Amino acid sequence: MRTLFIFILILISNEWVCSQTNISSFKLNRDIGKFSELMTELDTIVVYSDWSICQSERYEKDVITKRNDSVFIQVSMRDDFNGGVDYEKRLYKYDNLDSLNFETLYSKLQYHSIPNHQSTLRFQIIHNRMDTLNLFTYGLMDAIKISEYTGKIKDKIYADKDYYKALTTPKEPVNLPDSALMDSILMNDLEHLFEDEK
């Protein structure tokens, strides 16, 4: 009987030690600016982003995990133009000498956690389905700047994909077809017509 009691006591203490070591010490509000360093294998961060502006709709979902001391991200997006795009899981390398990273973005956005009269919820960050951090943008220009910054980070991760590539203007002048040339002539005539009335 005594051995059975000791055996049960050992099992209970081992279960208690095991459960203590499986509790993540990562706290979303405190550690979001250092998530690459402080996440453990037990942590999953899901970032829902709403980049809908004016009449267009665009939503993104980033799943961030850590395996074997490496951080991975998997991105999914839905928008009016491309429908749905799901990218494969990729390695996310944090370089503290380069400010173009999610840690810098989320650290700065921690001050955007209080809504005001012109705020829009842009990020809902969920840690292990328990903690939630809501981050806002304040006005259209703020949203555009943060969207561009986020796109540059994701373009580094998915450099071989086109979705996050910045739009470029052609270096050579584009030759207009005759029909477009006629439109520009008509526009010039209209401008001259209104100048005569002045």
Side-chain angles (χ1 to χ4, degrees), residues 20-27 38-40 42-43 127-128:
Q20 291 297 317
T21 58
N22 285 337
I23 295 174
S24 171
S25 61
F26 181 84
K27 300 291 180 211
L38 301 177
M39 280 177 74
T40 69
L42 303 171
D43 296 308
H127 169 241
N128 287 355

Side-chain angles (χ1 to χ4, degrees), residues 73-85:
I73 185 168
Q74 185 169 12
V75 175
S76 300
M77 58 218 110
R78 306 286 176 263
D79 68 21
D80 293 341
F81 305 109
N82 299 305
V85 179

Side-chain angles (χ1 to χ4, degrees), residues 76-170:
S76 300
M77 58 218 110
R78 306 286 176 263
D79 68 21
D80 293 341
F81 305 109
N82 299 305
V85 179
D86 297 311
Y87 285 159
E88 68 276 4
K89 187 186 288 188
R90 291 272 177 101
L91 183 66
Y92 169 68
K93 295 178 184 175
Y94 170 59
D95 179 2
N96 62 358
L97 300 176
D98 183 3
S99 64
L100 197 62
N101 57 63
F102 287 118
E103 284 81 354
T104 301
L105 174 67
Y106 296 145
S107 293
K108 292 186 180 201
L109 285 180
Q110 276 185 300
Y111 301 107
H112 288 198
S113 60
I114 300 168
N116 67 18
H117 67 282
Q118 61 177 6
S119 63
T120 302
L121 178 62
R122 294 294 174 188
F123 295 98
Q124 187 171 51
I125 304 173
I126 301 170
H127 169 241
N128 287 355
R129 298 184 181 180
M130 295 182 297
D131 284 341
T132 301
L133 176 62
N134 292 326
L135 301 174
F136 300 85
T137 57
Y138 304 119
L140 183 60
M141 290 310 297
D142 191 35
I144 290 171
K145 282 193 276 185
I146 294 169
S147 175
E148 287 176 354
Y149 189 86
T150 305
K152 288 178 183 177
I153 298 169
K154 290 183 178 179
D155 185 44
K156 283 174 45 176
I157 298 167
Y158 293 101
D160 58 328
K161 310 288 185 187
D162 290 334
Y163 192 87
Y164 293 106
K165 297 283 182 231
L167 296 175
T168 56
T169 55

Side-chain angles (χ1 to χ4, degrees), residues 189-198:
D189 291 341
L190 283 174
E191 288 174 2
H192 292 303
L193 177 69
F194 289 112
E195 284 176 4
D196 292 343
E197 290 182 2
K198 292 179 183 176

Side-chain angles (χ1 to χ4, degrees), residues 1-46:
M1 184 69 169
R2 185 175 170 192
T3 14
L4 180 65
F5 177 73
I6 292 171
F7 179 71
I8 291 173
L9 188 61
I10 289 171
L11 279 177
I12 291 172
S13 65
N14 280 344
E15 184 65 35
W16 185 77
V17 168
C18 183
S19 68
Q20 291 297 317
T21 58
N22 285 337
I23 295 174
S24 171
S25 61
F26 181 84
K27 300 291 180 211
L28 186 63
N29 287 304
R30 181 190 68 202
D31 301 330
I32 190 65
K34 298 180 181 177
F35 71 84
S36 288
E37 299 168 38
L38 301 177
M39 280 177 74
T40 69
E41 308 256 339
L42 303 171
D43 296 308
T44 299
I45 298 172
V46 180

